[in-house]
Amino acid sequence: MGERAMNVTDYDVAPSTKPLPLEHQLGTTESGIASRNDSASGGKIGFMDQNNKLDAEYALPGGGSNSNASWVHAAFHNVTAMVGAGVLGLPNAMVYLQWPAGITLMLVAWIATIYGLWQLIELHEIKGRRFNRYHELGQYALGPRLGLWTVIPCQLIVMIGLDIVYCVTAGKAMYYVYQHTCDGYETHTCRSFGLSCWIVIFAVIQMFLSMVPNFHKLSAISLLAAVMSISYSTIAIGVSAHAGRQPGAEYNLNGFTKAEGVFGIFNALGTIAFAYGGHNVVLEIQSTIPSNPKAGVENPTAKPMMFGVWIAYALVAYCYFGVGFSGYHAFGSKTGSQIMYSLGHPIWVICVAEIMIIIHVCGSFQVYAMPVYDMIEYQLVKRRVPNGFPTRLVYRTVYIIIVAFIGMTIPFFGDLLGFIGALGFGPSTYCFPSMFWLAIKKPGPTSWHFWASWFCILCGVIITLLGAIGGMQGIIVDASTYKFYQ
């Protein structure tokens, strides 16, 4: 595979003037999916013919698969993609937003993001063509070049940013478990291993897991990660509820300066945005569900995919609202950036939860790395570089080393959540789905979808601007006192 030379160009190619391949003349693509010639669309769909050819020729990671995935796979893939490190920072976001605003914003975020997911799922298959990648739908909606350069930068910020946060999360979890289980724990004589060492260990684990070729092959790892995320969220809820309101817990900002409060609110917006990140991989997940065209049904994968999303979002509501509200109730304004470290006791329960976090982020890292791998392989195969095991071993290992190094350089969990959440998730979670819907479906002002879409876009713009400011300010403050590469 991958040895035949191909004369291809970049993502944003113009439609070819050469005759269509036989499979397109017959009305099907190389992947067996029915499609139309859509010649009137010109360059708007020319890139899709190119992508379909490369997917069939080289079996790229993000090009769908011949799997028999169903709503069950969609459910646990979405739980793995959604419920991650972000849930542990929600109680800290509540510190700055406080009860009324915090509850309201978390509910609005839940509703707005599931609406955005529904829009993307409904747009996955149009006129017989499946958009298996986020940027493909963006190119169809906004044009081959504008769509590509609108979506790809934000998507890369999200994917790479999440993997950086997962390196930091796993490293801190490993460090915590070691510090509380080593032989010299009670006498404080444990041999010292800094955070950077544990991030390196996590990176080595990811190098082995990165050899999984595509999304569907990740199913077992993703299912385990989903179970772990629900489990450690349940532990956080249970321990917080059992602890009850701690002495000195107050629900105000009296202990903060005005500047700290304002920037904290900005960062909290980014933290909430970070928590809802499944939009960046939802089309890749939906691509694993086989398309079985039915009479009168244009997008046959939408129903099973959306059913899986509803299941996932019910679990998301349980984890997010449960952890966010119970953690804030227990510690109030004294809640730390990561709720597990605020809980502290009983030690063995927290250590079990930390081990679950480690297992979860092992899977989540690969779920969010897969679209990055897909982009890299696309660029390699169009330059006639075979994408077999040796190639994947090299470029995926290099990617993990770079991500881990950045994680060691800026290991500031709470501020990274806010900054990356705002800069990447603000546009890709809130803005882009509604922008694509408006561009493709063109609802009028009399349609509630018109106003709902513009509301989501406005929310995304606000989160992006304010959240990025708050997150960056926090990173600068933390960096001023942090000893790097411990």
Side-chain angles (χ1 to χ4, degrees), residues 30-48:
E30 291 185 60
S31 58
I33 301 170
S35 70
R36 303 175 185 176
N37 190 3
D38 291 327
S39 58
S41 298
K44 205 170 187 181
I45 63 167
F47 68 92
M48 284 299 298

mmCIF file of all heavy atoms in Angstrom, residues 30-48:
data_model
loop_
_atom_site.group_PDB
_atom_site.id
_atom_site.type_symbol
_atom_site.label_atom_id
_atom_site.label_comp_id
_atom_site.label_asym_id
_atom_site.label_seq_id
_atom_site.Cartn_x
_atom_site.Cartn_y
_atom_site.Cartn_z
ATOM 1 N N GLU A 30 -14.454 5.433 -4.612
ATOM 2 C CA GLU A 30 -13.627 4.242 -4.409
ATOM 3 C C GLU A 30 -13.937 3.566 -3.090
ATOM 4 O O GLU A 30 -13.629 2.418 -2.876
ATOM 5 C CB GLU A 30 -12.147 4.616 -4.476
ATOM 6 C CG GLU A 30 -11.723 5.006 -5.887
ATOM 7 C CD GLU A 30 -10.248 5.251 -5.951
ATOM 8 O OE1 GLU A 30 -9.472 4.327 -5.660
ATOM 9 O OE2 GLU A 30 -9.850 6.359 -6.288
ATOM 10 N N SER A 31 -14.536 4.315 -2.134
ATOM 11 C CA SER A 31 -14.865 3.722 -0.848
ATOM 12 C C SER A 31 -16.219 3.050 -0.875
ATOM 13 O O SER A 31 -16.695 2.562 0.128
ATOM 14 C CB SER A 31 -14.852 4.796 0.245
ATOM 15 O OG SER A 31 -15.765 5.812 -0.098
ATOM 16 N N GLY A 32 -16.877 3.030 -2.040
ATOM 17 C CA GLY A 32 -18.138 2.333 -2.145
ATOM 18 C C GLY A 32 -19.331 3.167 -1.771
ATOM 19 O O GLY A 32 -20.448 2.674 -1.718
ATOM 20 N N ILE A 33 -19.143 4.431 -1.493
ATOM 21 C CA ILE A 33 -20.231 5.303 -1.081
ATOM 22 C C ILE A 33 -20.812 5.983 -2.302
ATOM 23 O O ILE A 33 -20.084 6.561 -3.102
ATOM 24 C CB ILE A 33 -19.745 6.350 -0.068
ATOM 25 C CG1 ILE A 33 -19.159 5.644 1.163
ATOM 26 C CG2 ILE A 33 -20.871 7.271 0.341
ATOM 27 C CD1 ILE A 33 -18.447 6.577 2.079
ATOM 28 N N ALA A 34 -22.100 5.957 -2.412
ATOM 29 C CA ALA A 34 -22.729 6.585 -3.565
ATOM 30 C C ALA A 34 -22.444 8.061 -3.567
ATOM 31 O O ALA A 34 -22.448 8.717 -2.552
ATOM 32 C CB ALA A 34 -24.231 6.341 -3.518
ATOM 33 N N SER A 35 -22.141 8.600 -4.764
ATOM 34 C CA SER A 35 -21.915 10.026 -4.879
ATOM 35 C C SER A 35 -22.387 10.507 -6.228
ATOM 36 O O SER A 35 -22.612 9.724 -7.145
ATOM 37 C CB SER A 35 -20.431 10.358 -4.693
ATOM 38 O OG SER A 35 -19.708 9.900 -5.794
ATOM 39 N N ARG A 36 -22.543 11.814 -6.367
ATOM 40 C CA ARG A 36 -22.976 12.418 -7.617
ATOM 41 C C ARG A 36 -21.854 13.244 -8.207
ATOM 42 O O ARG A 36 -20.944 13.668 -7.515
ATOM 43 C CB ARG A 36 -24.195 13.306 -7.355
ATOM 44 C CG ARG A 36 -25.351 12.547 -6.720
ATOM 45 C CD ARG A 36 -26.484 13.499 -6.368
ATOM 46 N NE ARG A 36 -27.528 12.772 -5.666
ATOM 47 C CZ ARG A 36 -28.611 13.361 -5.157
ATOM 48 N NH1 ARG A 36 -28.791 14.644 -5.287
ATOM 49 N NH2 ARG A 36 -29.506 12.638 -4.533
ATOM 50 N N ASN A 37 -21.967 13.523 -9.504
ATOM 51 C CA ASN A 37 -20.909 14.265 -10.178
ATOM 52 C C ASN A 37 -20.923 15.731 -9.807
ATOM 53 O O ASN A 37 -19.925 16.385 -9.906
ATOM 54 C CB ASN A 37 -21.064 14.107 -11.692
ATOM 55 C CG ASN A 37 -19.880 14.651 -12.434
ATOM 56 O OD1 ASN A 37 -18.913 15.107 -11.815
ATOM 57 N ND2 ASN A 37 -19.930 14.607 -13.739
ATOM 58 N N ASP A 38 -22.030 16.298 -9.375
ATOM 59 C CA ASP A 38 -22.104 17.653 -8.841
ATOM 60 C C ASP A 38 -21.231 18.627 -9.596
ATOM 61 O O ASP A 38 -20.550 19.472 -9.002
ATOM 62 C CB ASP A 38 -21.684 17.684 -7.367
ATOM 63 C CG ASP A 38 -22.692 16.996 -6.486
ATOM 64 O OD1 ASP A 38 -23.893 17.068 -6.820
ATOM 65 O OD2 ASP A 38 -22.276 16.402 -5.487
ATOM 66 N N SER A 39 -21.183 18.557 -10.897
ATOM 67 C CA SER A 39 -20.276 19.403 -11.663
ATOM 68 C C SER A 39 -20.584 20.865 -11.511
ATOM 69 O O SER A 39 -19.698 21.709 -11.643
ATOM 70 C CB SER A 39 -20.349 19.017 -13.149
ATOM 71 O OG SER A 39 -21.678 19.144 -13.636
ATOM 72 N N ALA A 40 -21.830 21.193 -11.175
ATOM 73 C CA ALA A 40 -22.183 22.603 -11.022
ATOM 74 C C ALA A 40 -21.475 23.230 -9.851
ATOM 75 O O ALA A 40 -21.319 24.446 -9.769
ATOM 76 C CB ALA A 40 -23.699 22.733 -10.859
ATOM 77 N N SER A 41 -21.028 22.419 -8.900
ATOM 78 C CA SER A 41 -20.377 22.966 -7.713
ATOM 79 C C SER A 41 -18.928 23.326 -7.974
ATOM 80 O O SER A 41 -18.298 23.996 -7.171
ATOM 81 C CB SER A 41 -20.447 21.952 -6.553
ATOM 82 O OG SER A 41 -21.783 21.697 -6.217
ATOM 83 N N GLY A 42 -18.350 22.870 -9.087
ATOM 84 C CA GLY A 42 -16.989 23.238 -9.455
ATOM 85 C C GLY A 42 -15.991 22.921 -8.377
ATOM 86 O O GLY A 42 -15.947 21.849 -7.822
ATOM 87 N N GLY A 43 -15.147 23.917 -8.059
ATOM 88 C CA GLY A 43 -14.072 23.739 -7.099
ATOM 89 C C GLY A 43 -14.546 23.451 -5.709
ATOM 90 O O GLY A 43 -13.784 23.035 -4.865
ATOM 91 N N LYS A 44 -15.841 23.684 -5.444
ATOM 92 C CA LYS A 44 -16.342 23.482 -4.099
ATOM 93 C C LYS A 44 -16.279 22.021 -3.683
ATOM 94 O O LYS A 44 -16.251 21.699 -2.520
ATOM 95 C CB LYS A 44 -17.772 24.002 -4.000
ATOM 96 C CG LYS A 44 -18.185 24.392 -2.599
ATOM 97 C CD LYS A 44 -19.502 25.125 -2.612
ATOM 98 C CE LYS A 44 -19.805 25.666 -1.211
ATOM 99 N NZ LYS A 44 -21.077 26.374 -1.148
ATOM 100 N N ILE A 45 -16.322 21.088 -4.645
ATOM 101 C CA ILE A 45 -16.254 19.670 -4.316
ATOM 102 C C ILE A 45 -15.060 18.976 -4.955
ATOM 103 O O ILE A 45 -14.866 17.784 -4.762
ATOM 104 C CB ILE A 45 -17.547 18.945 -4.733
ATOM 105 C CG1 ILE A 45 -17.729 19.028 -6.249
ATOM 106 C CG2 ILE A 45 -18.755 19.482 -3.998
ATOM 107 C CD1 ILE A 45 -18.791 18.103 -6.774
ATOM 108 N N GLY A 46 -14.249 19.698 -5.730
ATOM 109 C CA GLY A 46 -13.103 19.067 -6.368
ATOM 110 C C GLY A 46 -12.167 18.421 -5.377
ATOM 111 O O GLY A 46 -11.614 17.347 -5.632
ATOM 112 N N PHE A 47 -11.982 19.024 -4.234
ATOM 113 C CA PHE A 47 -11.076 18.481 -3.213
ATOM 114 C C PHE A 47 -11.584 17.150 -2.673
ATOM 115 O O PHE A 47 -10.805 16.314 -2.221
ATOM 116 C CB PHE A 47 -10.917 19.481 -2.060
ATOM 117 C CG PHE A 47 -12.162 19.671 -1.240
ATOM 118 C CD1 PHE A 47 -12.396 18.908 -0.114
ATOM 119 C CD2 PHE A 47 -13.115 20.616 -1.598
ATOM 120 C CE1 PHE A 47 -13.544 19.071 0.635
ATOM 121 C CE2 PHE A 47 -14.251 20.800 -0.851
ATOM 122 C CZ PHE A 47 -14.477 20.023 0.271
ATOM 123 N N MET A 48 -12.914 16.930 -2.713
ATOM 124 C CA MET A 48 -13.462 15.690 -2.184
ATOM 125 C C MET A 48 -13.062 14.486 -3.042
ATOM 126 O O MET A 48 -12.773 13.409 -2.525
ATOM 127 C CB MET A 48 -14.989 15.789 -2.108
ATOM 128 C CG MET A 48 -15.486 16.641 -0.942
ATOM 129 S SD MET A 48 -14.976 15.970 0.655
ATOM 130 C CE MET A 48 -15.785 14.382 0.627
#
